[in-house]
Structure formats: structure tokens, C-alpha cells
Amino acid sequence: ALDTLMVGKLTTESLFILLAILTGLSNGSLENQLCFDLIEKWVKKNPNASICTALEGVENFKHIANFQDYHGLKEFRQEVAKLMGKARGGRVTFDPERIVMSGGATGASETIMFCLADPGDAFLVPTPYYPAFNRDLRWRTGVQIIPVQCSSSNNFTVTREAVEAAYQKAQEANINVKGLIITNPSNPLGTTLDSQTLQSLVIFVNDKTIHLVCDEIYAATVFSSPEFVSIAEIIQEIDVNRDLIHILYSLSKDMGLPGFRVGIVYSYNDVVLSCGRRMSSFGLVSSQTQYFLATLLSDDEFVDYFLRESSKRLARRHHKLTRGLEQVGIKCLKSNAGLFVWMDLRRLLEDPTSFDAEMKLWRTIVNDVKLNVSPGSSFHVAEPGWFRVCFANMDEF
Amino acid sequence: MTGTGFSRLRSPEPDPDTKQTTSGAGGGTAMRVIVPLQGVAQGRGGLVLGSVIPCALFYFLQFYLKRHRNEPKDPNSPASEKATGSPTQSPSQSAGQLTELPGLPRSLSRPLLSPRTAGGPVSLSGRANSILKCSDSPYDIGLIRVEEDPYDELGNPDGVIQLGLAENKLSLDLVKDWLAENAREAILGGGRRELNVNAIATYRPFDGLMDLKVAVAGFMSQVMEKAVSFKPSQLVLTAGATPAIEMLSFCLADAGNAFLVPTPYYPNFDRDVKWRTGIEIIHVPCRSADNFNISITALDRAFSQAKKRGLKVRGIITSNPSNPVGNLMNRETIYSLLDFAREKNIHIISNEIFAGSTHGNEEFVSMAEIIESEDIDRDRVHIVYGLSNDLSSPGFRVGAIYSLNENVLAAARKLTRFSSISAPTQQLLISMLSDTEFVKRFIEINRERLGRMYVRFVAGLQELGIECTKSNGGFYCWADMRGFIPSYSEKGELELWNKLLNAAKVNVTPGSCCHCIEPGWFRFCFTTLKEKDIPVVIERIRTVVETCKSLG
């Protein structure tokens, strides 16, 4: 198969066999499984964390079973705030009092919508975007999504002009735009936004007095330059109405712990915090989990090592995948973060302008090889031929 | 049937005004699971429909409101959540999905002033603004006061004693002992359960591991003394009973529809059922003359009144054992309710989260038991359960929806993505609940302790001339203090509440928080006390009621 590929007779079947080799067969979901072994080792070494007897001065297990305060365990919030700071290289600090829990990242996205928008209101979302936003942001909230189309001509970077144009169009249609949601680092692109872009977006929302929600769930998955710039850093640099700024976070991607259902809404707006906190009751993190995580995250040495090691492993996997694809002439969007790459298969399409052709190509993959590859259309991208491939699933080491 | 000897009257034809559509999920008049959730359940374009219709409506509302965008801003716009009422309302920039909290008029979402604003004021959702306008209820105020100044026998003997939170600390020691002995193995492995981070850290079905469903179904069965066998496949697990109730509300009704709820009821229903859903609650008053039991006449009256107002009633929410009164529903009432629901073609949500916390001699009957035997009502009854109360572990966040209606289950399952139980907690509870010996002991001992505390506490109140209704469930008693309030009104009741909180330093829940139609009733939770605390509490209450008596 590799011979065929090398001489340029790239068939779709052989391509996907190659991908299977490069990414390791996965179970199909977007997870960061590269550092399970580290967590496992830590848990074995620290049994008290799991049975909640580790933290000094904190309530013991008797109280943990009983603890249902929607403010959340103080130690838990403190450690999460610290982790968020670490994932941003210590360039910003986060206030534990501004941390609100929700049922996973999914719950966090929904909660912030419930706080900011009424049914019928709209949020601008640059494409390509995480498919489940259609559910998480809209199902029960009644909020609508207005896509801001980004194009391959500038590597899918979101520009102020594009956002402005989408905003104007919505205004003309009498749609009430409540804000803009950006995912940084981006899913599915794997790229981080640069300072300049972030600043221009912040100025934009400030001008229009609409909200900016930054989903920074992949913050610690950055594995190469450029460095990650958080919205929290931007608002330190320029003067803006902070009541408009909100960050979403979770431990599902950075720490590879999706099963723990830890979602975080971090808002600079006190009313939103108050509202979000009350909504926490609909998705509180289990007290046992809060306790465990407070203990785990308080082990600074471990966390620092974990973050470094995770970056290294992601970089290795990313490199292996992109190099392998390069050798057969497949390009991926240059990326520095995330658990996936954005693969350009436009030249493999029967008809490069057709999404049907894209689906046909994708079905081949799904039918022939069980690969974690998603077609670009599911991310609402404007042009066919792009696919997201995940590389952080479990593999034999 | 159960052979109780009475006959059940078959109801006449269903109300011709209520829509009937077949859902294909069972016999009888099928229930409509509401779009857009119907689309969700069937994986179709319900999302589109669900967004288009409200969008179209709001398009017109926006257009209308656009003209009022430049109204003068309210300089008194409060920044904190402790705002006490608001003078005038100004029209807003965003259309309001109007949420209603008790005692508040409907209003549009208000813009929020911010000093550093470049453009206009910062606008939030109607839901966020509704909590701004709402002053803290006595329920909230009491909880805050206890937090600030909690009673401690040694450390703070003059602190506020908590009788306002329905939490059971009586049997926490049993849970703690089990955890001390078994948690290590349960969580870390050895024996069957090897620690596998993969098992606990990866994504799993959002509605709970099957092993946990089996364990919870078994627990529910044990708690209800094996009168029902719950099928694990009919369970949807959630992160607590709070989201379970909200999820069911989203599944069974649209914004603007209503549920009938007998009063007095658990104060947080207002949040769980109404806040984010836009659904209304219609109070169905229960009276002391009936020992606060549900009356079908009252239900019927409320239903008709709702119809006259143009409100579509989608269901009834009952709590059995009830909160705050603590009474159990007898079979006859359950059958009458089912008849009523069938006649009106509406759902029943049976909140049974205190099923394992019963004491005394009365029999607890779950609605699940009745629908097991009756074919026709399977699609319209949904049970809410949770481990918070019966297993004294509200921190773990485990709730459940039990239903035989496949459409409702399918929709609810999809919503659990927002509210899923943490994986390590699931593992821990699988171990705990599978230890049937422990569960049996816990239920028995817990019931015994509950019963003892109840008897002693009620006796203590009796010494003061305060009678309680007969109740056999829950963590509280429902006390008649009508003789001690300065005026037979909500105002009078709150004055007494205030005295109890600030003079006697005892936090209790006034009936008005529970929407009780008769003033003067109070809920006293006794499960956060030790037996030796009871005389302390009684003495404190005595100081207040004696002054009230002398006034009266």
C-alpha cells in the first residue's frame, strides 16, 4: 500500500489505511488519551485523593457526601483557577470567585447562553466550528447561530471585517445579535488566534456592546509556537468593558478527563456569575470529583510535569501524522494546538465544489476503515474537501 | 389490580379540546412529547422548527421593540443581586423570554448599566435579569444567616440553628463508615474492580453506566420494599434530581404551557420547573381541613380556570412523600389522579425522592407500582428519584427519571449531555449500592432514627402548644402556628418567621415560601439536629411563642 502511495497513485483506500497507521485506530470520539498513564500513576500513588481524606483542614468524606453548595468547594475553585493560569504560562491569574461550575463543557456553553441571551437572540460563530454547538447553544435556549464564514484563502482566520459584515447583515434582518463566540485554540482548525486578531475582536464587541464568549477548552493542548494568547491577557492590555467578557473551560481536553464532567464558566460580569451559579444546580460537579481534583491539581510538581509531557506527546503525534501525510502529498493546515489536524483533501474530490462529493469520500472512510475523521461540512465550513483527523486517541506506547 | 375493595370509576371521554396524537409507544391515548424535543428524540429537523417559530415571533417583537431602543436608562439599575424590587421597568433591547419568579410581575429583560460602556448598556438574558430584580426570599435569607452564624454546641452556642434545609445528617455516619471500609477498594481496585483510568475518565453514555442503572433500579426497589421492580433500561440518570425535574419539564411542555402543582410545595420547584423553561406553575391549594392532601375537585377547578385563561396544562407534578408537609399519597388518591390525568390527557410527574425516608406505619405506594399493573397509563406517568435524600449523599449528584414512555426517555437521554453523573462517582456508587446488605441496614436504621427524631421533635413542639399535621415521610414536620401570628396573613406569618430567625435564632421555612394558601404554617426540618439539640431548639422557640401568646 505504501508503495502505491509513494508513486503518487493515491487511492482513497490507501490514504485511509495510511491515516489509520498514523493515528492509531481510535474509538471514534474526540478525546485526549495520551497521558492517561500519568494520571493512573498519580492516582495509585495518592489513594487519599480518591477517597477524599487527603486535603488537610478540609471536610472529610462525611461532609463531602453531604456537600452540595452551588458555589463549589473553595479548594476546587482555587486549584482550577491556578491550573488555568498555568495553561497560560502564568501570564494571567484567575480569580476563584469567578469560577462557576456546570455539567461538563457542554453544560458550560449552554449555561452561558441561558445567561446572556433570550430565545430568538443570536450569536455570531466563525466557521468552521464544533458541530455540537448547534445543540449545546440552541436546543433548550432557543438562541440562533449566525455563522461567520472564514475561508481557506487566509487559512480560515477570523477577521474583524467578516464579523462586522455578518453583524450588519443580522441587524438589517432585525435579528438581535447578543454576542460572538470564538473557540481558541480552534476546533477543528487546531490553530490559535494571534494577539492582533483577538484585540480587534475585543474592540469590535466593545463598540457594539455585545458579549464575547471565548471557549478556551483546548488552552493547554498547545504544543508548538506560536504561544497561546488568552482573552484574559488581551483585556489586561486594552481598556474594555469587562462585563462583556466570558471564558469557557473544562478539564475534558487539557487534562483528558471528560468522564469527570467538569465544565467551567469564568465571567468578568458579576450578574452573569450570580445567574450562572444558580444554574449550577442543574449541573453541579460531584463533590467527590471536586475533592479529588482539588487534591490532584494542588500537586504542582505533577501538574507542571503533566502539562509539559502532554504538550510533548501531542507534538510528537502531530508531527508523525502531518509528516506522514506530507510524504504522500497531503497537506494539513499548519496548526499548533488541539487534538486534531485540518486535512486538505480537495484534490481527491470528484467535484471540488460539491459537498456531496465530500460526503462520498467520507463514507468510504467510514465504511472501510474505522477512523476518527469528520467531514468539513459537519463543521459548517464554506468549501468542501476539508476533513478533521484526530490523533490523540489511545495507542500502544 | 390490588384488591383494595373499592371500585375505580372509569372516566368519560377525554377532553375534546386536548390534542391527541399517537406516538406509537403504547396503548391508549398517546401523549404528545413536545417539539422541539420531539425532533430531538427522533433525530429530525425538530431543531429547525423549534428555532424558526420562536424566531419568527421574535422577529416581529424585535421590530416593534426597535423603536423603543433609545429609552432613557434607569439610573438606579442595581449591580448586586440583593436588589429590593424595582420602580419602573424600561423596555429593553432584547425580547424577553419572560421568566416569572414568585410575586413578580412579568417584565421584559432590562439593560444593565456599566460605567465603562462604549456603546449602550450591557444586555443580559431575561433569566439573568429576573434574579437581579428578585429580592431574596425568606428561604434564601435564612440559609445565608445560618451560613454566617452557624450554631455549634461548643464553638458558637448562640448561633443560628438550621431547621430550614431538608438534609439528613442522622445517618451520615453509616455512609462514612461504609466509605472508610470500602472506598479504597471500590475506587482503586483490588478484587474485581481494577483501577482503570480509561474506565473512569473517558466519555461514557451521558445517561449513566448500565451498571449504575442496575444498581439504582435495585436500590429503588429495596427502598420501596420490593413492591415494584424497576427496569434499568427505563432509567435515565442525571446529575441530581434538580436537573431531572427540569429535563422532564422541557420534555413535556413548551414555554407558556403550565403544570398543576398542589401547594404547599418545595420552594425550588419555582426554579426547577419555571426558570429556564418558561413554563408556568398553577397552584392547586391543599387545605388543613383535608390534612393538606390533594383534592381532585381543587385540581379540576384549577384546570378549568387555566383553560379560561388560555393556558394549556400539560401535566401535574406531585410529590410523594410530599415536601413540606410530609404526607404519603394513598392508593385511592393515586387512582383518582390517574383517572383525572387520563380524562384531561395530561402527564403526571411523581416526585418520589423521599420514598426511602418514610417512618411510622403508613404504607408508601409508588406510582410505579400502580402503572406496573395498569396498562393504560404507562405513557403518562414519569417518576423522579435521586440519591440525595434517601442515601444522605446530595454531594454526589445522582438523580433519575423513570418512565415507560419511550419518547420521553429518548428525549431525556439526549438532554443528559448537560447534566451527567461524574464517572468516578458512578463507580463508587455502583459498589455502594451493590452492597445490598449495607443498603438494607442503612434503610432500616435510617428509618428508625427518622421516626425517633420525628416523634421527639413533634412532642417538643406540642409542649409549646404547637401541633403538627400527621406526616410519615421526609425530614421535617409541618407545624400549625396560626395561634401565634400577629395577623392572619402572609405579613403576620413573616413577622413570626422573622422573630424566630432573629430573636430565637432558629431558621425555619414559612409556609408562604411554599405557596401555602393558609398563613401560619411552618416547616421544621429536624434531621440536621442531634437528639440532645431538641430541648435547646424548643427552649428558643418557647421564648418567641410566649411573647406572641401574650400579645394575642
Side-chain angles (χ1 to χ4, degrees), chain A residues 284-304:
Chain A
L284 275 183
V285 176
S286 155
S287 53
Q288 177 208 10
T289 302
Q290 291 186 52
Y291 196 107
F292 170 82
L293 288 169
T295 317
L296 175 79
L297 298 177
S298 69
D299 187 340
D300 284 319
E301 210 183 293
F302 170 75
V303 173
D304 292 337

PDB file of all heavy atoms in Angstrom, chain A residues 284-304:
ATOM      1  N   LEU A 284     -24.189  20.484  38.797  1.00  0.00           N
ATOM      2  CA  LEU A 284     -23.098  20.569  39.760  1.00  0.00           C
ATOM      3  C   LEU A 284     -22.105  19.445  39.544  1.00  0.00           C
ATOM      4  O   LEU A 284     -22.486  18.323  39.218  1.00  0.00           O
ATOM      5  CB  LEU A 284     -23.648  20.438  41.177  1.00  0.00           C
ATOM      6  CG  LEU A 284     -24.184  21.667  41.888  1.00  0.00           C
ATOM      7  CD1 LEU A 284     -24.599  21.295  43.287  1.00  0.00           C
ATOM      8  CD2 LEU A 284     -23.156  22.771  41.921  1.00  0.00           C
ATOM      9  N   VAL A 285     -20.840  19.770  39.772  1.00  0.00           N
ATOM     10  CA  VAL A 285     -19.827  18.717  39.714  1.00  0.00           C
ATOM     11  C   VAL A 285     -19.908  17.934  41.022  1.00  0.00           C
ATOM     12  O   VAL A 285     -19.983  18.519  42.102  1.00  0.00           O
ATOM     13  CB  VAL A 285     -18.425  19.339  39.553  1.00  0.00           C
ATOM     14  CG1 VAL A 285     -17.351  18.263  39.590  1.00  0.00           C
ATOM     15  CG2 VAL A 285     -18.356  20.132  38.260  1.00  0.00           C
ATOM     16  N   SER A 286     -19.873  16.635  40.918  1.00  0.00           N
ATOM     17  CA  SER A 286     -19.931  15.774  42.102  1.00  0.00           C
ATOM     18  C   SER A 286     -18.888  16.222  43.122  1.00  0.00           C
ATOM     19  O   SER A 286     -17.745  16.516  42.771  1.00  0.00           O
ATOM     20  CB  SER A 286     -19.682  14.334  41.669  1.00  0.00           C
ATOM     21  OG  SER A 286     -19.180  13.569  42.738  1.00  0.00           O
ATOM     22  N   SER A 287     -19.288  16.271  44.382  1.00  0.00           N
ATOM     23  CA  SER A 287     -18.374  16.726  45.422  1.00  0.00           C
ATOM     24  C   SER A 287     -17.140  15.844  45.502  1.00  0.00           C
ATOM     25  O   SER A 287     -16.029  16.307  45.762  1.00  0.00           O
ATOM     26  CB  SER A 287     -19.087  16.755  46.763  1.00  0.00           C
ATOM     27  OG  SER A 287     -19.685  15.499  47.004  1.00  0.00           O
ATOM     28  N   GLN A 288     -17.345  14.560  45.276  1.00  0.00           N
ATOM     29  CA  GLN A 288     -16.203  13.633  45.304  1.00  0.00           C
ATOM     30  C   GLN A 288     -15.193  14.022  44.234  1.00  0.00           C
ATOM     31  O   GLN A 288     -13.984  14.030  44.457  1.00  0.00           O
ATOM     32  CB  GLN A 288     -16.703  12.207  45.064  1.00  0.00           C
ATOM     33  CG  GLN A 288     -15.597  11.187  45.011  1.00  0.00           C
ATOM     34  CD  GLN A 288     -15.951   9.992  44.145  1.00  0.00           C
ATOM     35  OE1 GLN A 288     -16.940   9.982  43.429  1.00  0.00           O
ATOM     36  NE2 GLN A 288     -15.131   8.961  44.221  1.00  0.00           N
ATOM     37  N   THR A 289     -15.717  14.374  43.058  1.00  0.00           N
ATOM     38  CA  THR A 289     -14.853  14.762  41.952  1.00  0.00           C
ATOM     39  C   THR A 289     -14.158  16.078  42.252  1.00  0.00           C
ATOM     40  O   THR A 289     -12.971  16.243  41.964  1.00  0.00           O
ATOM     41  CB  THR A 289     -15.683  14.872  40.667  1.00  0.00           C
ATOM     42  OG1 THR A 289     -16.310  13.617  40.429  1.00  0.00           O
ATOM     43  CG2 THR A 289     -14.822  15.239  39.477  1.00  0.00           C
ATOM     44  N   GLN A 290     -14.894  17.015  42.823  1.00  0.00           N
ATOM     45  CA  GLN A 290     -14.291  18.300  43.161  1.00  0.00           C
ATOM     46  C   GLN A 290     -13.124  18.085  44.112  1.00  0.00           C
ATOM     47  O   GLN A 290     -12.055  18.666  43.967  1.00  0.00           O
ATOM     48  CB  GLN A 290     -15.303  19.220  43.858  1.00  0.00           C
ATOM     49  CG  GLN A 290     -16.423  19.730  42.970  1.00  0.00           C
ATOM     50  CD  GLN A 290     -17.274  20.750  43.714  1.00  0.00           C
ATOM     51  OE1 GLN A 290     -16.751  21.714  44.272  1.00  0.00           O
ATOM     52  NE2 GLN A 290     -18.572  20.546  43.732  1.00  0.00           N
ATOM     53  N   TYR A 291     -13.381  17.249  45.087  1.00  0.00           N
ATOM     54  CA  TYR A 291     -12.374  16.975  46.101  1.00  0.00           C
ATOM     55  C   TYR A 291     -11.143  16.328  45.475  1.00  0.00           C
ATOM     56  O   TYR A 291     -10.009  16.741  45.707  1.00  0.00           O
ATOM     57  CB  TYR A 291     -12.985  16.047  47.153  1.00  0.00           C
ATOM     58  CG  TYR A 291     -12.196  15.999  48.415  1.00  0.00           C
ATOM     59  CD1 TYR A 291     -12.663  16.632  49.564  1.00  0.00           C
ATOM     60  CD2 TYR A 291     -10.977  15.339  48.482  1.00  0.00           C
ATOM     61  CE1 TYR A 291     -11.947  16.592  50.735  1.00  0.00           C
ATOM     62  CE2 TYR A 291     -10.248  15.314  49.640  1.00  0.00           C
ATOM     63  CZ  TYR A 291     -10.736  15.936  50.770  1.00  0.00           C
ATOM     64  OH  TYR A 291     -10.020  15.908  51.917  1.00  0.00           O
ATOM     65  N   PHE A 292     -11.403  15.297  44.680  1.00  0.00           N
ATOM     66  CA  PHE A 292     -10.297  14.593  44.024  1.00  0.00           C
ATOM     67  C   PHE A 292      -9.463  15.556  43.187  1.00  0.00           C
ATOM     68  O   PHE A 292      -8.239  15.572  43.243  1.00  0.00           O
ATOM     69  CB  PHE A 292     -10.842  13.459  43.152  1.00  0.00           C
ATOM     70  CG  PHE A 292      -9.809  12.845  42.254  1.00  0.00           C
ATOM     71  CD1 PHE A 292      -8.927  11.882  42.736  1.00  0.00           C
ATOM     72  CD2 PHE A 292      -9.694  13.244  40.933  1.00  0.00           C
ATOM     73  CE1 PHE A 292      -7.963  11.337  41.903  1.00  0.00           C
ATOM     74  CE2 PHE A 292      -8.730  12.698  40.098  1.00  0.00           C
ATOM     75  CZ  PHE A 292      -7.854  11.740  40.593  1.00  0.00           C
ATOM     76  N   LEU A 293     -10.156  16.369  42.403  1.00  0.00           N
ATOM     77  CA  LEU A 293      -9.434  17.275  41.518  1.00  0.00           C
ATOM     78  C   LEU A 293      -8.681  18.343  42.294  1.00  0.00           C
ATOM     79  O   LEU A 293      -7.583  18.743  41.921  1.00  0.00           O
ATOM     80  CB  LEU A 293     -10.405  17.915  40.525  1.00  0.00           C
ATOM     81  CG  LEU A 293     -10.894  16.933  39.458  1.00  0.00           C
ATOM     82  CD1 LEU A 293     -12.044  17.541  38.669  1.00  0.00           C
ATOM     83  CD2 LEU A 293      -9.769  16.540  38.524  1.00  0.00           C
ATOM     84  N   ALA A 294      -9.280  18.805  43.394  1.00  0.00           N
ATOM     85  CA  ALA A 294      -8.582  19.796  44.209  1.00  0.00           C
ATOM     86  C   ALA A 294      -7.251  19.211  44.676  1.00  0.00           C
ATOM     87  O   ALA A 294      -6.224  19.885  44.663  1.00  0.00           O
ATOM     88  CB  ALA A 294      -9.446  20.200  45.397  1.00  0.00           C
ATOM     89  N   THR A 295      -7.286  17.949  45.052  1.00  0.00           N
ATOM     90  CA  THR A 295      -6.056  17.301  45.514  1.00  0.00           C
ATOM     91  C   THR A 295      -5.074  17.109  44.364  1.00  0.00           C
ATOM     92  O   THR A 295      -3.890  17.438  44.481  1.00  0.00           O
ATOM     93  CB  THR A 295      -6.376  15.927  46.131  1.00  0.00           C
ATOM     94  OG1 THR A 295      -7.520  16.036  46.960  1.00  0.00           O
ATOM     95  CG2 THR A 295      -5.200  15.422  46.952  1.00  0.00           C
ATOM     96  N   LEU A 296      -5.581  16.579  43.264  1.00  0.00           N
ATOM     97  CA  LEU A 296      -4.711  16.336  42.109  1.00  0.00           C
ATOM     98  C   LEU A 296      -4.045  17.626  41.641  1.00  0.00           C
ATOM     99  O   LEU A 296      -2.838  17.696  41.424  1.00  0.00           O
ATOM    100  CB  LEU A 296      -5.535  15.733  40.965  1.00  0.00           C
ATOM    101  CG  LEU A 296      -4.804  15.527  39.638  1.00  0.00           C
ATOM    102  CD1 LEU A 296      -3.955  14.280  39.679  1.00  0.00           C
ATOM    103  CD2 LEU A 296      -5.793  15.434  38.479  1.00  0.00           C
ATOM    104  N   LEU A 297      -4.852  18.658  41.493  1.00  0.00           N
ATOM    105  CA  LEU A 297      -4.324  19.905  40.942  1.00  0.00           C
ATOM    106  C   LEU A 297      -3.438  20.651  41.930  1.00  0.00           C
ATOM    107  O   LEU A 297      -2.654  21.513  41.536  1.00  0.00           O
ATOM    108  CB  LEU A 297      -5.476  20.805  40.480  1.00  0.00           C
ATOM    109  CG  LEU A 297      -6.353  20.229  39.355  1.00  0.00           C
ATOM    110  CD1 LEU A 297      -7.514  21.185  39.045  1.00  0.00           C
ATOM    111  CD2 LEU A 297      -5.553  19.963  38.104  1.00  0.00           C
ATOM    112  N   SER A 298      -3.545  20.309  43.214  1.00  0.00           N
ATOM    113  CA  SER A 298      -2.699  21.002  44.189  1.00  0.00           C
ATOM    114  C   SER A 298      -1.276  20.449  44.149  1.00  0.00           C
ATOM    115  O   SER A 298      -0.361  21.048  44.697  1.00  0.00           O
ATOM    116  CB  SER A 298      -3.264  20.854  45.595  1.00  0.00           C
ATOM    117  OG  SER A 298      -3.147  19.512  46.020  1.00  0.00           O
ATOM    118  N   ASP A 299      -1.106  19.317  43.483  1.00  0.00           N
ATOM    119  CA  ASP A 299       0.237  18.746  43.351  1.00  0.00           C
ATOM    120  C   ASP A 299       0.923  19.467  42.192  1.00  0.00           C
ATOM    121  O   ASP A 299       0.916  19.007  41.042  1.00  0.00           O
ATOM    122  CB  ASP A 299       0.108  17.246  43.063  1.00  0.00           C
ATOM    123  CG  ASP A 299       1.451  16.526  43.088  1.00  0.00           C
ATOM    124  OD1 ASP A 299       2.494  17.206  42.942  1.00  0.00           O
ATOM    125  OD2 ASP A 299       1.444  15.303  43.251  1.00  0.00           O
ATOM    126  N   ASP A 300       1.528  20.619  42.517  1.00  0.00           N
ATOM    127  CA  ASP A 300       2.107  21.477  41.481  1.00  0.00           C
ATOM    128  C   ASP A 300       3.125  20.759  40.613  1.00  0.00           C
ATOM    129  O   ASP A 300       3.139  20.906  39.398  1.00  0.00           O
ATOM    130  CB  ASP A 300       2.776  22.701  42.128  1.00  0.00           C
ATOM    131  CG  ASP A 300       1.751  23.708  42.580  1.00  0.00           C
ATOM    132  OD1 ASP A 300       0.776  23.915  41.824  1.00  0.00           O
ATOM    133  OD2 ASP A 300       1.910  24.282  43.675  1.00  0.00           O
ATOM    134  N   GLU A 301       3.966  19.978  41.291  1.00  0.00           N
ATOM    135  CA  GLU A 301       5.012  19.277  40.549  1.00  0.00           C
ATOM    136  C   GLU A 301       4.384  18.394  39.486  1.00  0.00           C
ATOM    137  O   GLU A 301       4.802  18.389  38.327  1.00  0.00           O
ATOM    138  CB  GLU A 301       5.794  18.421  41.540  1.00  0.00           C
ATOM    139  CG  GLU A 301       7.241  18.220  41.173  1.00  0.00           C
ATOM    140  CD  GLU A 301       7.893  17.298  42.199  1.00  0.00           C
ATOM    141  OE1 GLU A 301       8.025  17.715  43.360  1.00  0.00           O
ATOM    142  OE2 GLU A 301       8.233  16.144  41.819  1.00  0.00           O
ATOM    143  N   PHE A 302       3.352  17.655  39.914  1.00  0.00           N
ATOM    144  CA  PHE A 302       2.700  16.750  38.976  1.00  0.00           C
ATOM    145  C   PHE A 302       2.055  17.519  37.837  1.00  0.00           C
ATOM    146  O   PHE A 302       2.198  17.162  36.673  1.00  0.00           O
ATOM    147  CB  PHE A 302       1.642  15.894  39.682  1.00  0.00           C
ATOM    148  CG  PHE A 302       0.789  15.118  38.719  1.00  0.00           C
ATOM    149  CD1 PHE A 302       1.281  13.994  38.078  1.00  0.00           C
ATOM    150  CD2 PHE A 302      -0.496  15.543  38.411  1.00  0.00           C
ATOM    151  CE1 PHE A 302       0.511  13.298  37.151  1.00  0.00           C
ATOM    152  CE2 PHE A 302      -1.279  14.847  37.494  1.00  0.00           C
ATOM    153  CZ  PHE A 302      -0.774  13.730  36.869  1.00  0.00           C
ATOM    154  N   VAL A 303       1.326  18.577  38.154  1.00  0.00           N
ATOM    155  CA  VAL A 303       0.602  19.317  37.123  1.00  0.00           C
ATOM    156  C   VAL A 303       1.575  19.920  36.115  1.00  0.00           C
ATOM    157  O   VAL A 303       1.364  19.831  34.902  1.00  0.00           O
ATOM    158  CB  VAL A 303      -0.279  20.418  37.749  1.00  0.00           C
ATOM    159  CG1 VAL A 303      -0.882  21.293  36.671  1.00  0.00           C
ATOM    160  CG2 VAL A 303      -1.377  19.785  38.589  1.00  0.00           C
ATOM    161  N   ASP A 304       2.653  20.508  36.622  1.00  0.00           N
ATOM    162  CA  ASP A 304       3.626  21.102  35.698  1.00  0.00           C
ATOM    163  C   ASP A 304       4.202  20.037  34.775  1.00  0.00           C
ATOM    164  O   ASP A 304       4.316  20.237  33.559  1.00  0.00           O
ATOM    165  CB  ASP A 304       4.755  21.787  36.485  1.00  0.00           C
ATOM    166  CG  ASP A 304       4.259  23.011  37.232  1.00  0.00           C
ATOM    167  OD1 ASP A 304       3.215  23.568  36.820  1.00  0.00           O
ATOM    168  OD2 ASP A 304       4.898  23.413  38.231  1.00  0.00           O
TER     169      ASP A 304
END
